[in-house]
């Protein structure tokens, strides 16, 4: 297995700005992420609407951004509720705008991106509570949003993959649970140790020390990391959760827990598709301008999401 040359370029670009993980200051980490947004080639696309709004959460309003592509002709149509990555410490509607635009067009479907509360200002379980509230709000307000409540999927990358899995687990008994979960190199076990975490501890963007950094901000009480609301892999059972697509990156410290989640889903009878992108590093999906495999991942994922929505193949 070799690191993709385009990922080498990506890491050089990250180093030029400064990795958000190379600082102990969450405010500085957020500034660096925003700088990467400012420097990135924007993803435009053809949309009927891109609208910002606010939905009610357990501690006040939660900002969201709705994307409705030109080709989303069904009404009410399917919708993907998306949770951005960033270790529960950084990330925003803007940082993951390109991913949301790309998947909305590729499916095509409405996407609602959720700006949940971040640590350390709001530690566990704040992000999880916001994520669950947002999903339930979309279902309850499906008619006014112009979407089909029976076709609401959840998805997210890294920390957002954690939240999408948590939502699937915690709402499986709802009258209308998620129909699908798209988990992109997800952080599903905050208590994980060894394996890929040690194998890729340094040199591939996300480091072992960075993982400790964000875990200490989000879940400073180590006992809470065993709670399935924090670590969905620690759930006693995943029976009845939504079918899933789980993707991992070959040089990612989170790779082993992503694969472990796939095996747990399988053992509990949940339909799951697993795709590993061997030459990739953690976080590559945001890098459309540099990494060809990021665009291929959107194409592959859209195919699976489309099938889950009962849409014809492209």
């Amino acid at each position: 297995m070799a690191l993709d040359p385009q990922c080498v370029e990506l890491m050089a670009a990250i180093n030029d700005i400064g990795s958000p993980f190379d600082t102990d200051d969450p405010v500085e980490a957020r500034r660096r992420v925003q700088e990467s947004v400012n420097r990135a080639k924007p993803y435009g696309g053809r949309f009927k609407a891109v609208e910002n709004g606010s939905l009610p959460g357990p501690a006040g309003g939660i900002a969201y951004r709705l994307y409705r592509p030109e080709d989303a002709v069904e009404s009410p149509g399917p919708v993907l509720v998306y949770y951005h990555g960033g270790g529960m410490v950084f990330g925003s509607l803007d940082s993951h705008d390109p991913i949301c635009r790309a998947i909305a067009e590729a499916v095509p479907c409405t996407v609602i991106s959720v700006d949940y509360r971040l640590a350390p200002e709001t530690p566990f379980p704040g992000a999880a509570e916001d994520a669950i509230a947002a999903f339930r709000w979309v279902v309850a307000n499906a008619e006014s949003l112009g979407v089909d409540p029976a076709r609401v999927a959840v998805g997210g990358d890294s920390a957002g993959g954690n939240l999408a899995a948590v939502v699937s687990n915690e709402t499986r008994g709802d009258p209308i649970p998620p129909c699908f979960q798209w988990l992109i190199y997800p952080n599903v076990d905050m208590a994980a140790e060894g394996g890929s975490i040690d194998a890729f501890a340094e040199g591939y963007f996300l480091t072992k020390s960075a993982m400790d950094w964000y875990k200490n901000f989000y879940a400073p009480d180590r006992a809470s990391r065993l709670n399935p609301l924090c670590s969905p892999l620690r759930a006693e059972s995943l029976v009845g959760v939504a079918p899933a697509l789980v993707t991992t990156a070959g040089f990612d410290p989170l790779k082993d827990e992503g694969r472990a989640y796939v095996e747990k889903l399988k053992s509990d009878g949940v339909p799951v598709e697993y795709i590993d992108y061997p030459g990739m590093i953690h976080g590559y999906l945001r890098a459309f301008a540099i990494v060809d495999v990021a665009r291929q991942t959107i194409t592959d994922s859209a195919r699976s999401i489309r099938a889950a929505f009962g849409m014809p193949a492209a």
Side-chain angles (χ1 to χ4, degrees), residues 184-287:
I184 308 148
Y185 35 76
N187 180 196
V188 287
D189 187 1
M190 292 276 186
E193 294 180 352
S196 58
I197 294 174
D198 290 339
F200 307 114
E202 297 288 340
Y204 303 101
F205 176 52
L206 178 60
T207 64
K208 182 177 182 179
S209 61
M211 292 174 65
D212 291 337
W213 176 79
Y214 71 68
K215 289 176 185 178
N216 288 336
F217 275 139
Y218 182 59
D221 176 7
R222 289 180 175 270
S224 69
R225 299 177 191 180
L226 302 176
N227 186 329
L229 200 62
C230 186
S231 297
L233 183 58
R234 300 283 172 164
E236 183 176 344
S237 170
L238 297 178
V239 171
V241 304
L245 167 63
V246 180
T247 72
T248 57
F251 289 84
D252 185 355
L254 300 183
K255 181 176 180 177
D256 283 358
E257 61 196 77
R259 289 193 299 195
Y261 204 65
V262 169
E263 293 307 314
K264 187 169 180 63
L265 288 166
K266 286 180 178 179
S267 68
D268 285 343
V270 179
V272 56
E273 178 183 3
Y274 173 54
I275 307 175
D276 179 57
Y277 295 92
M280 295 293 105
I281 61 171
H282 188 83
Y284 77 91
L285 192 60
R286 289 180 55 220

Side-chain angles (χ1 to χ4, degrees), residues 19-23 25-34 36 84-93 95-96 115-121 158-160 205-206 210 213-214 217 282 286:
S19 170
F21 293 121
D22 290 342
T23 173
D25 181 355
V27 175
E28 172 61 15
R30 293 166 193 164
R31 189 201 66 76
R32 293 181 183 185
V33 172
Q34 185 57 47
S36 73
H84 66 75
M88 310 293 190
V89 175
F90 53 85
S92 65
L93 299 180
S95 68
H96 285 65
D115 203 21
Y116 56 89
R117 289 172 291 163
L118 298 175
E121 295 88 348
S158 191
F205 176 52
L206 178 60
W213 176 79
Y214 71 68
F217 275 139
H282 188 83
R286 289 180 55 220

Side-chain angles (χ1 to χ4, degrees), residues 2 32 53 57 91 103 109 120 151 157 160 176 203 213 240 253 288 300-301 310 313:
R32 293 181 183 185
I103 197 66
C109 69
R151 292 190 291 169
D157 62 295
I176 303 179
W213 176 79
F288 293 106
D300 296 341
S301 299

